């Protein structure tokens, strides 16, 4: 429980100091948890960092999951203003009694409204390397984020 509290404080501190451009929630499977704090940090016109901190209960204990994905491909879909798709990859950590380390990918689509809201859906397969070697390809989720500066 102490680990969960410390990681939550660290993640919220990073979000507030880095001045995320979008912050919201992601619902669905997030490293085995059901919900996450979801944030986007733009690092260029067509790339960004997509970070999540998820909380839940697995293996009969409380867990915290952290993902920091580099979306190296972020492009508009056709001529539809506000509709974009993205592909990314990055490290994943799941903290329970054991520590799980791996890599996740993501492919998704999102729509930015004319008011400060972005809605999206994505698929995030994860390949776990440490504690157990395993592949999970069943992680789908939806997200809603407030867009700052809109």
């Amino acid at each position: 429980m102490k680990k969960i509290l410390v990681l939550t404080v660290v993640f919220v501190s990073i979000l507030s100091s880095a001045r995320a451009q979008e912050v919201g929630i992601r619902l669905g499977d997030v490293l085995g948890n059901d919900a996450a704090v979801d944030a986007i940090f733009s690092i260029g016109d067509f790339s960004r960092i997509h970070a999540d901190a998820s909380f839940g209960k697995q293996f009969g204990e409380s867990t915290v999951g952290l993902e920091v994905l580099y979306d190296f491909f972020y492009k508009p879909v056709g001529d539809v203003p506000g509709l974009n798709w993205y592909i990314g990859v990055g490290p994943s950590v799941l903290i329970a009694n054991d520590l799980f380390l791996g890599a996740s990918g993501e492919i998704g689509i999102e729509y930015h409204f004319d008011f400060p809201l972005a809605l999206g859906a994505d698929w995030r397969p994860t390949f776990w390397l440490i504690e157990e070697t395993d592949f999970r390809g069943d992680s789908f989720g939806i997200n809603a984020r407030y867009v700052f500066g809109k």
Side-chain angles (χ1 to χ4, degrees):
M1 187 63 181
K2 201 180 229 186
K3 288 187 234 178
I4 293 172
L5 181 60
V6 169
L7 283 172
T8 303
V9 169
V10 168
F11 189 76
V12 169
S13 298
I14 289 169
L15 285 180
S16 55
S17 67
R19 301 185 198 270
Q21 283 86 21
E22 301 178 21
V23 175
I25 60 168
R26 182 175 188 273
L27 301 174
D29 190 331
V30 188
L31 299 178
N33 295 327
D34 297 327
V37 176
D38 190 59
I40 298 290
F41 307 91
S42 294
I43 55 175
D45 288 340
F46 300 109
S47 59
R48 64 194 191 158
I49 300 296
H50 194 168
D52 285 336
S54 62
F55 309 92
K57 202 163 195 75
Q58 297 181 57
F59 321 113
E61 59 191 79
S62 296
T63 59
V64 172
L66 299 171
E67 290 180 295
V68 180
L69 306 172
Y70 171 59
D71 290 341
F72 55 86
F73 188 87
Y74 180 72
K75 299 282 184 179
V77 176
D79 293 330
V80 181
L83 186 63
N84 299 292
W85 72 290
Y86 52 91
I87 299 173
V89 66
S92 298
V93 177
L94 181 65
I95 300 168
N97 273 347
D98 295 321
L99 178 70
F100 295 85
L101 298 173
S104 292
E106 80 173 337
I107 184 166
I109 192 164
E110 67 185 17
Y111 184 76
H112 284 83
F113 291 90
D114 289 333
F115 49 93
L117 177 67
L119 296 177
D122 59 35
W123 172 56
R124 289 191 187 166
T126 301
F127 182 64
W128 293 111
L129 300 169
I130 295 181
E131 196 56 48
E132 322 182 334
T133 301
D134 190 20
F135 175 77
R136 287 198 55 194
D138 58 351
S139 299
F140 295 89
I142 58 171
N143 55 56
R145 292 184 303 272
Y146 178 81
V147 180
F148 292 94
K150 197 73 162 144

